[in-house]
Amino acid sequence: MGQGYSLTTLSAGSAGIDVPELADITYEKTLGTARFMKSIRARHHDGLVFVKVVMKPYPSMKLDPYARQILAERKALGDVPNALSYQRILETSTNGYLIRQYLYSSLYDRLRQVLISWPGRALLQPLTFRSTRPFLEDIEKKWLSFQLLCALRDCHARSVYHGDIKTENTLVTSWNWLYLSDFSSSFKPTYLPEDNPADFSYYFDTSGRRTCYLAPERFLTAGEKAEGKGGVNWAMDIFSAGCVIAELFLEAPIFSLSQLYKYRKGEYDPTHSHLDNIEDKDIRELVSHMIQVEPEARYSADEYLNFWRRKAFPEYFFGFLHQYMGLITDPSSGRAAVTSDGVNLGEADDRINRVYYDFDKISYFLGYDEASPPVVDRSALDALYGNGVIPVEVDIPNNCHEISSVGGRRTADDGTLIFLTLVVSSMRSTARATGRLRGCDLLLAFAERITDEAKLDRVLPYVVTLLNDHADVVKMAAIRTLTQLMAMVRVVSPVNAYVFPEYILPRLQQFIPSASSRPRPVVQATYASCLATLAITSSRFLDMMQSLRADGSLPTADPEAEDGVATETAYQTLFDVARSDLLDHFETHTKALLTDGDASVRRAFLGSVSSLCVFFGSSKANDVILSHLNTFLNDKDWMLRSAFFETIVGVAAYVGGTSLEEYILPLMVQALTDPEEFVVEKVIRSFANMALLGLFQRSKTWELIDIVVRFTMHPNLWIRAAAASFVSSATSFLSLADRICIVAPLLQPYLKSTVADDFSEVRLLDTLHKPLSRPVFDLAVSWALRVDRGVFWRPAQQQRTFSFGSSSDSMPQFQATKLGSYASSKVLRNDEDDQWLNRLRNIGMGPDDEWKLLVLREYIWRMAPSKPKEGPGTQASHLNSVITLKQLDMTPQTIFFDDKQQQQPSGQVSPRGGESEEPAAQDVPKTSHTITDALLDASMTIDDSLARRKRSYANSRKAREPARSTPMSPQAESLDSRHNSSHSTSPAPSSSKGKEIASPRHGSSQGSDAEATKRPGSLKVPTVNGVGGVSSDETSTAADSASDAIPTMGGRHRPMRHKSSAFNLMSKKDAAKSVPETSTTSTNAFGKVEGPFRKEAAVRSPLDMAGRDRASPPPTRFRASHSYEGRDPSVLKLLNSVYLENFPSDAVEFGPLVAPISRRQRIKRSSGVSSEAAWRPEGNVVATFGEHTGPINRVVVAPDHAFFITGSDDGTVRVWDAGRLERNVAHRSRQTHRHAPGAKVKALCFVENTHCFVSAATDGSVHIVKAEATRSGGGGGGATRYGKLRVLKTHWLEEGEYAVWLEHFKADNHSLLLMATNMSRVVALDLRTMTEVYRLRNPVHHGTPTCFCVDKKHAWLVLGTSHGVLDLWDLRFRVRLKAWGLQGATPIHRLSIHPLKGRGKWICVAGGTGRGEVTVWDVEKTQCREAYRVGGSGKDDAADYEAWKVDEERPEEMLGRFATALEPTSGGGGGVGSVDRGIRAFVAGLDAVEDGRGSRYGFLVTGGSDRKVRFWDMARVEGSMVVSGLDADEVRPSFGAAQPTPALTVNTERMPSGTPSAANARVAAGGGAGRRGAGRVPRSTVISLQQQQLLKSHLDAIQDVALLELPYGMTVSVDRSGVVYVFQ
C-alpha cells in the first residue's frame, strides 16, 4: 500500500496496534482511509515500520491459509532485489497484522507532491501542479520502469504474483531504487463483478481516486462465475505494470474504472488520448503492447526486457547499473545488523565512498567521452576569476582533473542523473565530513555532464545546504563548489532567473562578520578568494535575465504595458535596479573583507581584487577598493604586504597611468625600505611586471632604474635577481639612444664590464659586481641603530630617494653616476664613524666594498628602525606558546584502558595437511558449526567497513539491553527474523560462529575477509539452519540475535546471485553459476552457490581486481578495551594504536616474553672457572644428533638460549634442549614439527623475544609454531619441560613461491615478519593480522635472493643474491637505494651486521668473491674493509675487493658476467676457489672482557664445504684456530693479516711451508703415512686414530652454524648429511 495519500475520502475509523504481541512497536499515525485493511505507521526500536491491520468478522475465523501463503511468498521473494515482502505476520483473536519496513515515499507521492517554489518566483506566471521538483527526466523514468519489469521478472520466475500493482504500492527511495511491495494475491479477490463497483472500491481503490490498474479480464460480466478461472497470473500483473509505466511518463493515470470498462468493450482507446503524449517512441510502443485487452497477446516481463533492450532501455541497465545500484542500496547484502534510525553508522558515507572510488569504472560503463579533457588556459582564467581558485581541481581517484567551465560533454541518456541522485540523497545523511567533501567532488564531476537546468535544480540546493554545515572544511568545499557550479552555467531558464539575488546571495551573508556571529577565518578566507568569481557570475546571470525579459520570457514590472517605449523603459529600470542591488551587496561584502581583523582573510581577498575592479567599474573601484588597499602596507603581517604587491599589478593596469603615478607608485617606492626582504623582492618584481605592461613614462622609468639598480648590491640573491629583471624589463620599450645615453651610465658603476645594448637579465647578473656581504650588511644595520655623534649617516637623513614624488625634482639628489672608487674618501665622518668602519673592515669589508655601503646607505638608514629586534628570547616566541584545547572548541576526554586483552576465538583449518606431530588441545570452546555453514561463510565476498560497524553496534547494544521476550501465537512470525534467526550477520574473522575455508594456496589460518577477497573463487555466505534449510514458521524474540530487527535496505537478505562484487559485472552472464568449491578438511563437503560468476572464475577482470585490492584489512584479533564510547574512526584508530604500543596483542598470543641473552654478560665456560681471557672454543665434541633424514639447512637458537631448532629437507623442524647438553643423558629431540609431505624446510627464525618460531618450506607454507618450554626449578636451574607444539597461524605464498630467509622484529605497531622469496621479492607480513604490509621487488637480473640482514634500528636491509649482488633497501620509504656486486659473482650464503666495528654500518658477507672467504663491507661507502680467507696462499690483490656498480650495467652485460662466474676461479688458493668451496655459513659473536673498562671482544665462527669449523679472533687474528675438521696428522695452520690498502685488512689462514693445503690435506696425509712407513706405527693404531677422528668432525659440507651460550659457550653446526654437531 502507499504511505501517505494526498487526497482524502470518508474516514474508515481509527485502528490500533495496542496488543501485547506488538509491545515492541509504538503507534504513530494512521495512513490513508482504506476500508479493507487499515495502514498504520509505527516505530520500532530499530526504525519505522508499516503495519496493515485486518479485522476478523468473527473471532473463530482462522487466518492460517493466508499466513502460509504470505510466508511462502516471503521466502520466495527474499532474494529479489526489487521486492519488499512482509517480514512479520501476527494473528490475534480479533485482528491480523502484516508488518514490513516503512519507506517514506511511493511512486504516487513522487509524481503528485506539490511543486516546491524557488524564492523570487512571485513574478512568474502560475505554474501547474506537476511532480516534485526537480522533475524526473526521461532516463530516470526509464530506470524506474526497468526496475519494475525486473521485479516482475524475478517474482514471476518464483511463481509469485502481485495482484494489485499500482503507483501506491511501488515504493521509491530517495535515490530512485524501486521496491514492489504489498503483495496481495493471497488475500484479495482475483475477479470482481463488473456490475458492482463496490468490491473494487473496497479492495483496490484505497485512495478513493477511482483510478483502475486491474487487467480487464479480472472483471466478470453479469452471471459469469469465477470458479475454474484460477488465480492471479503474470499477464494480469503485466497489464497493471503497463498502466504504472504510462502514468510515470504521462504523470496522469490512463484508466479510471469506467474507462477500463469502455476499453474492454472497445469503446475507449488510451492511445490517442494519452499515449501519444509520450515523446519516446519505444516507450510508447512498450506501454501499448503491455495494456492489450487480450492477455495472450502480452509478453512476459523477461520478454519485454529482452525485446526492448537497446531500444527503450540502454545496454548498461542490464550489464552494470542494476547490479551496481542494488549493491549500493544493500551494501552488506543482508548480512549486517539493522540499526536504529537514531544511530548513524555511515551507510550514506559508504555509498558516497563507493561511487567516489568507482568513478572511473562508472565513467567507463556509462560511456563518458574517453578523449582527453579540454586544455584549460590557466592564465586566462586567472585573469578572469582571480587567484587561481577557479577552476576547481576535482580529486577523484584515477580521474583527477580541472573542472571545465564549458559544458557540452553530456551523452544522451548516459545515466549521469541516476548517480547524481544517489550522491545528493546520500549527502543529506552522512555521518562524517569526509563523505560530504567527496560528495562535493562528485557533484562537480557529474555536473560537467548534465544540463544547466539540472545543475541549478538538482545540484545547487544540496550545495547551498552544505553552507550551514558544522565542519569548516565542508563549508570551504561548499563555497568552492558553489562558485565553480555557477561559473559553469551558461544558459538560465526563466524559473531560475532570480537564483542569485533571491536564493544564493542571502545565504552567503553568514560569511560576513556580524554582531551575532563571527565565521572562522579559514572559512572567510575561502569566501574572500571566491568573491570575485561570484560577482562576475552574478553579473552574467543579470545579463541573461535581461535577455529573457527582452525575449518576453520574463514579465516586466508592468506586464500589461502596451507602449513600446514604456516597455523598454521598464526593462532598463529593472536592469538598473538589479545592477545597483548587486553592486551594493558585493560592496558591503568587499568592505567587510577588506577591513577584517584577520590578516589571512585579507590576504586571500587580494586574489580577487583585480577582477572586482572590473566588476565595480573605475569610479566605484577607486572608492571601495583602492581607498582600503593602501592600509595593507601598514599591517604587521609581512605576508599580507607581500601579497599586496603580487596583486597591485592588475589593479595598476586597470586604474591607468595617472592613478598609478599619483597614488600607487609613491607607496611602492616607499615600500622598498620594508624591513622584510621578501616584501622588497615582491615590490621590485611588481615594478618589472608593470614595466612589461608599459605602464611607466620614460622619465619615471629612468628614475626607477636609478633607485632599483642600487639593490643589485644587496646581499639577498632574490632581490638582486628581481632588480636585474626590472632593469631588463624597463629597457625593453626604450629606444637604443635612451639605453646607451641614459640607462647605461646609470648602470655602469655596478657592472664589472661595459654593456653596450644587451640589458638581458642573465647578462646583467653575469656582469654585476659582487654584492655587499651579509655580515657587513647586518653590522651596518646595527651601526645605523646606534648612531650617537657620528656624521656618516647624516646625508641619508636629508636624501629623499624613497619619498618618490614628494619634491619637485625630477631626479633624486643622490645619483649613481657620482659613484666611484674614490667616493668613500669624500664622505664626512668622525672618530666614531671610523671605529665602526674599522669594525666593518675587520669582518670582511674591503676597499672595493665601501662604495657599495654608500649605495645602500639611505636604504639601511630608513629600513633599520623598523626592523624587528631579534634576540634569543624573542625569536619565534609565538611557536612556543601553549594552545589550549578550549581555544579550538575541544573538550578533553580521559580514556581508561584495560590491560586484560580480550582474545576472540577463531576457527582454524590447516591447509595442505600442515600439522604438528603432537597437536595441542584447543583452549577455546568450540561451537557447533557445519561444513555448510563454512561454505556459506566463504561465499560472502563483500564485507565492508559498514558491516563491521553495524556488527560492533549490534553487539554493544545487545550487551547494554536486557533480554526481552514477547509472547507470540503459533501463527505469529517474529518481527525480528528474516528467513530465520540465523540469517543474521556475516561472522567476523574471529567470530566463533563461522570458520573460513582457506584456499590451499592463498589461505590463512586466520579467517580473514580481506584474504577471502584476494582469492579468486573463494566463497562466503551467511549461515543457515541445517543444510540449506530456511525456517518460516518458527518464532524468535527481539533478543535472539544481535541483528534481530526490522530489516532496512541495508539489512535485507539477498541470495548469492546478488552478493558478488559489482566490479565483476563487466563479464557477467545472468545464467552463469559459480564453480563449486571443496576444502581439504576432516569432513568432505560440496558447496554450490548462485552467483554472477563465470566458469572461468580464475580470470579476473580489471574492475574485479581493482575492487578486491581495496578490500579493507581484517580487524585485529585482539579487541582493545577502553572506555571510549564514541564511533569516530580516527579516534578509534588512535586508541588502538596506543593500546597496541602498551599492551601488544602478540605478547599474549605468542608469549610469554623471554629475556634475551645480554651482550654485556660474559659467555660461560664449561669448567665453571672464571677467566679474564675472552671465550674460545676448545674443540671437544659435546653431542651429535642424527635424527634428520635429509640435509639440514638452518639452525637457530632461541632468544634465551634454552633450546635450538633445526630445519631440514626432510620437511621437519626439530627442537633440541640445550640444558641436556651438560648432563649425561641420551640426546634426542624434544619435539618435532612437520610440514606437508614432500616439502623442504628452507628458512627458520624466532618471533622476537618469544619461544614461537617461524618455519618456511618449499611448498609456499609459512607456519608460526609455539613451543611451550617451562623450567621446573626456580632461576636458571632445573629441567625444562616441553609442551606440545601448536601451530598458531599459517600463511601461504603464491603458487611456485617460497621463502628462503626469514627475520622478525616489531616496529610501528606491527609484528613484522620479513620473508625473502625465490621470486626476488621481500614480503613484510604482519603476524597480528596475517596481512601483507608491503612488498619489495628486487630486480630479477640481480639474481635469486639467498639471505638478508636488517640493521638494529630496522631502518634498512641488505639483500644478498645468487649472483653475488648486494641490494640496499630503505625500509622506511621502501625504496631500493643502491646495489653493488662482488668480483667473484658467486652466490652469497650469509649476511650479518659486524659485531664490533662500523657502528652498525658494516656487514659481514660469506660468499660472492669466489675465494671461500668472509668479507666485511661498509654499507655507507660501499667499500670492503676486512676479509677472512681460508686455506690458501692467494695474492692479496686489492682489486679483487673492489665493488662493481650493478646499476650502471645493462642486464645482458650482467648475465655475461654471471655466466663466466660459474667456472672455478684459478686464484682461489688451495683449491677452494671453486664456487662450491670455502665458507658457507658463519655466526658473529661478542664476549665481554674483564679489563675494568667494559671492553667487548668480537669473533666469528665459520663453517663450509671443507667440513671445518673455524674460530676467527676479530681483535687479534693470530688467536684464530680450527675448532674441528683437522685430520689426525694434519698440522694446525697459522693465521696472519696483511694490508693491501690503508682501508683494507686481509686476514688469512696460512698452511705451514711444505704441508699440503686444507683442500688436499686428506690426500697428503695418506701419502705421508705411506712415506713414513708402517714399521714404526702399527696399522691398527692408524685405523683407530682415523676412526676416532671421523667421529669428532663433520663428514659432509657444513650448511649452518650457531652459537649457544647456555648452559655454557658452545658452537652448533649442521651439515648436508643431516647430522648436528655441538662443540665445547
Side-chain angles (χ1 to χ4, degrees), residues 96-344:
Y97 299 90
L98 299 177
I99 306 173
R100 63 164 170 84
Q101 179 189 342
Y102 176 84
L103 292 185
Y104 282 91
S105 62
S106 66
L107 191 59
Y108 173 81
D109 302 321
R110 186 69 175 85
L111 295 175
R112 292 292 179 273
Q113 289 179 359
V114 180
L115 173 67
I116 300 174
S117 299
W118 288 95
R121 289 178 179 163
L123 298 179
L124 302 183
Q125 297 292 341
L127 297 172
T128 58
F129 291 96
R130 297 179 60 201
S131 64
T132 305
R133 193 173 186 90
F135 308 130
L136 290 173
E137 298 289 343
D138 284 346
I139 186 64
E140 296 175 292
K141 296 177 181 178
K142 290 181 179 180
W143 170 234
L144 292 172
S145 304
F146 176 81
Q147 294 181 78
L148 179 59
L149 289 174
C150 287
L152 289 180
R153 176 198 62 190
D154 295 338
C155 294
H156 293 170
R158 292 156 177 79
S159 299
V160 176
Y161 308 104
H162 193 284
D164 189 16
I165 297 176
K166 52 189 173 184
T167 54
E168 291 94 333
N169 291 339
T170 307
L171 307 182
V172 183
T173 67
S174 58
W175 57 93
N176 289 339
W177 182 258
L178 182 142
Y179 285 102
L180 192 59
S181 69
D182 298 343
F183 290 79
S184 60
S185 60
S186 59
F187 52 84
K188 286 187 179 182
T190 304
Y191 298 97
L192 300 174
E194 186 180 26
D195 55 354
N196 185 9
D199 287 350
F200 171 79
S201 301
Y202 183 75
Y203 288 106
F204 297 100
D205 190 16
T206 56
S207 61
R209 298 186 292 126
R210 306 298 292 176
T211 302
C212 183
Y213 300 87
L214 300 183
E217 60 268 22
R218 297 184 67 175
F219 292 92
L220 303 177
T221 59
E224 188 177 2
K225 301 296 183 181
E227 288 79 4
K229 290 183 174 293
V232 178
N233 56 42
W234 60 267
M236 298 175 181
D237 283 347
I238 290 295
F239 183 91
S240 301
C243 296
V244 171
I245 294 175
E247 184 173 351
L248 174 63
F249 279 86
L250 295 170
E251 299 186 0
I254 61 173
F255 289 116
S256 64
L257 183 61
S258 59
Q259 289 173 336
L260 186 71
Y261 290 161
K262 294 180 180 179
Y263 180 62
R264 183 183 180 186
K265 298 175 182 179
E267 300 174 0
Y268 170 75
D269 186 4
T271 303
H272 303 293
S273 59
H274 292 87
L275 299 187
D276 286 344
N277 296 327
I278 300 178
E279 298 179 358
D280 192 291
K281 175 177 174 292
D282 295 319
I283 295 293
R284 187 166 60 248
E285 293 177 354
L286 171 68
V287 174
S288 299
H289 201 280
M290 293 178 70
I291 62 172
Q292 294 182 87
V293 176
E294 296 299 329
E296 294 81 5
R298 304 169 199 153
Y299 292 163
S300 66
D302 190 48
E303 290 174 324
Y304 280 117
L305 288 173
N306 293 330
F307 188 82
W308 267 270
R309 188 169 185 165
R310 302 186 185 92
K311 296 179 181 178
F313 307 118
E315 177 63 27
Y316 61 84
F317 277 12
F318 298 83
F320 166 70
L321 188 61
H322 189 247
Q323 287 80 7
Y324 188 87
M325 293 300 289
L327 187 66
I328 290 285
T329 302
D330 193 4
S332 58
S333 298
R335 293 174 286 136
V338 181
T339 60
S340 67
D341 54 358
V343 178
N344 190 346

Side-chain angles (χ1 to χ4, degrees), residues 844-883:
M845 186 181 72
D848 296 335
D849 295 334
E850 294 184 2
W851 68 272
K852 302 171 186 176
L853 179 63
L854 295 179
V855 166
L856 297 174
R857 178 169 58 177
E858 184 181 357
Y859 164 72
I860 294 174
W861 172 260
R862 300 192 181 279
M863 179 269 297
S866 56
K867 190 174 182 65
K869 297 179 174 59
E870 297 179 357
T874 60
Q875 187 173 5
S877 59
H878 63 283
L879 298 178
N880 299 325
S881 59
V882 177
I883 300 176

Side-chain angles (χ1 to χ4, degrees), residues 472-701:
D472 291 339
V473 290
V474 177
K475 291 182 180 180
M476 296 162 59
I479 293 172
R480 289 193 297 267
T481 304
L482 172 65
T483 305
Q484 178 66 76
L485 181 69
M486 302 309 293
M488 295 166 64
V489 177
R490 290 292 179 266
V491 177
V492 63
S493 60
V495 74
N496 293 319
Y498 294 93
V499 64
F500 251 103
E502 301 293 341
Y503 186 66
I504 295 178
L505 296 184
R507 287 161 176 81
L508 296 177
Q509 191 66 36
Q510 59 178 314
F511 302 118
I512 299 302
S514 62
S516 58
S517 65
R518 167 73 185 183
R520 293 290 184 90
V522 65
V523 178
Q524 275 191 280
T526 305
Y527 177 60
S529 62
C530 297
L531 187 64
T533 307
L534 289 171
I536 294 174
T537 305
S538 64
S539 179
R540 182 162 49 82
F541 268 68
L542 183 61
D543 294 339
M544 289 188 286
M545 187 191 307
Q546 185 68 7
S547 301
L548 290 175
R549 290 198 186 101
D551 189 43
S553 301
L554 274 180
T556 62
D558 186 7
E560 299 180 356
E562 297 179 358
D563 187 8
V565 178
T567 303
E568 182 66 27
T569 305
Y571 290 161
Q572 190 62 39
T573 303
L574 283 176
F575 179 80
D576 292 342
V577 171
R579 173 72 180 175
S580 176
D581 293 341
L582 205 62
L583 290 175
D584 292 342
H585 174 86
F586 283 101
E587 179 182 353
T588 304
H589 286 216
T590 300
K591 290 181 178 179
L593 294 174
L594 278 170
T595 58
D596 193 89
D598 194 285
S600 61
V601 176
R602 287 176 285 161
R603 190 164 66 245
F605 174 80
L606 285 173
S608 305
V609 165
S610 301
S611 301
L612 283 175
C613 288
V614 178
F615 171 76
F616 283 121
S618 178
S619 60
K620 209 170 190 63
N622 284 315
D623 298 337
V624 177
I625 296 179
L626 296 184
S627 60
H628 292 86
L629 275 185
N630 297 338
T631 61
F632 287 14
L633 295 178
N634 299 324
D635 197 271
K636 296 180 179 180
D637 186 359
W638 66 268
M639 297 178 69
L640 177 63
R641 303 195 300 272
S642 179
F644 170 84
F645 292 109
E646 290 180 349
T647 307
I648 200 63
V649 177
V651 177
Y654 179 76
V655 299
T658 303
S659 298
L660 171 64
E661 294 183 1
E662 292 182 0
Y663 302 107
I664 299 178
L665 198 57
L667 296 177
M668 295 182 66
V669 174
Q670 184 178 356
L672 287 173
T673 59
D674 194 282
E676 181 57 53
E677 295 179 359
F678 283 104
V679 177
V680 177
E681 189 263 345
K682 293 298 181 184
V683 173
I684 301 177
R685 290 288 181 187
S686 300
F687 282 148
N689 293 330
M690 292 179 183
L692 285 176
L693 297 176
L695 299 180
F696 298 134
Q697 298 180 12
R698 290 175 58 200
S699 58
K700 298 298 181 183
T701 301

Side-chain angles (χ1 to χ4, degrees), residues 750-755 762-769:
Y750 306 94
L751 305 178
K752 293 181 289 187
S753 59
T754 303
V755 178
V762 177
R763 178 67 184 278
L764 289 176
L765 290 174
D766 288 341
T767 56
L768 283 174
H769 283 292

Side-chain angles (χ1 to χ4, degrees), residues 1220-1498:
R1220 288 183 168 227
L1221 297 176
E1222 64 177 347
R1223 296 192 295 272
N1224 188 16
V1225 294
H1227 300 303
R1228 61 181 179 85
S1229 61
R1230 301 303 301 273
Q1231 296 292 338
T1232 302
H1233 171 70
R1234 298 184 184 276
H1235 281 257
K1240 301 178 181 180
V1241 179
K1242 291 296 184 182
L1244 291 173
C1245 78
F1246 274 90
V1247 177
E1248 186 177 11
N1249 297 338
T1250 68
H1251 281 168
C1252 290
F1253 63 86
V1254 185
S1255 62
T1258 53
D1259 60 349
S1261 62
V1262 180
H1263 292 179
I1264 296 94
V1265 185
K1266 186 171 185 178
E1268 301 284 354
T1270 56
R1271 294 188 182 273
S1272 58
T1280 303
R1281 300 183 59 184
Y1282 289 86
K1284 300 177 182 179
L1285 298 181
R1286 289 193 298 159
V1287 180
L1288 300 180
K1289 298 182 180 182
T1290 303
H1291 180 76
W1292 293 90
L1293 296 172
E1294 295 181 359
E1295 188 70 38
E1297 185 177 19
Y1298 62 88
V1300 298
W1301 197 266
L1302 302 172
E1303 292 286 348
H1304 178 269
F1305 60 86
K1306 298 176 183 177
D1308 298 332
N1309 292 331
H1310 291 293
S1311 181
L1312 285 186
L1313 175 67
L1314 292 185
M1315 301 181 289
T1317 72
N1318 62 327
M1319 295 296 183
S1320 297
R1321 297 192 309 162
V1322 176
V1323 180
L1325 184 70
D1326 189 351
L1327 295 188
R1328 294 172 180 170
T1329 60
M1330 294 305 290
T1331 55
E1332 291 187 7
V1333 181
Y1334 57 84
R1335 295 181 179 181
L1336 309 178
R1337 297 186 180 273
N1338 210 56
V1340 178
H1341 59 275
H1342 288 187
T1344 304
T1346 55
C1347 57
F1348 64 82
C1349 68
V1350 184
D1351 77 309
K1352 297 178 181 179
K1353 297 181 180 180
H1354 312 130
W1356 52 264
L1357 172 148
V1358 176
L1359 181 71
T1361 70
S1362 59
H1363 290 167
V1365 176
L1366 295 172
D1367 288 272
L1368 177 63
W1369 286 85
D1370 190 325
L1371 296 182
R1372 297 164 300 179
F1373 302 100
R1374 300 164 192 174
V1375 295
R1376 191 174 65 88
L1377 302 178
K1378 60 181 176 180
W1380 71 96
L1382 278 60
Q1383 291 294 333
T1386 54
I1388 293 173
H1389 302 294
R1390 292 291 184 271
L1391 290 172
S1392 176
I1393 303 295
H1394 197 288
L1396 206 58
K1397 301 178 182 178
R1399 297 183 178 179
K1401 298 179 182 179
W1402 288 14
I1403 59 172
C1404 302
V1405 183
T1409 62
R1411 293 173 172 267
E1413 59 190 351
V1414 176
T1415 53
V1416 178
W1417 290 83
D1418 187 338
V1419 174
E1420 187 177 13
K1421 299 180 180 178
T1422 319
Q1423 188 176 16
C1424 185
R1425 295 292 191 174
E1426 296 178 350
Y1428 296 89
R1429 188 188 303 170
V1430 302
S1433 57
K1435 297 180 180 179
D1436 300 329
D1437 189 359
D1440 294 338
Y1441 298 99
E1442 293 181 359
W1444 56 282
K1445 298 180 180 179
V1446 177
D1447 295 329
E1448 295 181 359
E1449 294 196 15
R1450 293 181 298 176
E1452 54 269 20
E1453 295 178 355
M1454 295 178 61
L1455 293 177
R1457 178 191 293 268
F1458 302 147
T1460 58
L1462 294 177
E1463 298 298 328
T1465 56
S1466 59
V1472 283
S1474 172
V1475 176
D1476 199 26
R1477 306 293 294 175
I1479 298 175
R1480 296 182 62 89
F1482 70 88
V1483 59
L1486 274 177
D1487 191 20
V1489 181
E1490 295 183 357
D1491 57 357
R1493 295 177 297 176
S1495 301
R1496 293 190 298 170
Y1497 160 80

Side-chain angles (χ1 to χ4, degrees), residues 374-393 401-406 448 483-484 487-488 490 529-530 532-534 536-537 540 607-612 614:
V375 179
V376 180
D377 187 357
R378 170 63 72 174
S379 60
L381 289 173
D382 288 348
L384 179 62
Y385 293 119
N387 61 349
V389 176
I390 303 297
V392 173
E393 182 171 351
H401 66 282
E402 288 183 343
I403 292 296
S404 173
S405 297
V406 180
E448 289 185 288
T483 305
Q484 178 66 76
M488 295 166 64
R490 290 292 179 266
S529 62
C530 297
T533 307
L534 289 171
I536 294 174
T537 305
R540 182 162 49 82
S608 305
V609 165
S610 301
S611 301
L612 283 175
V614 178

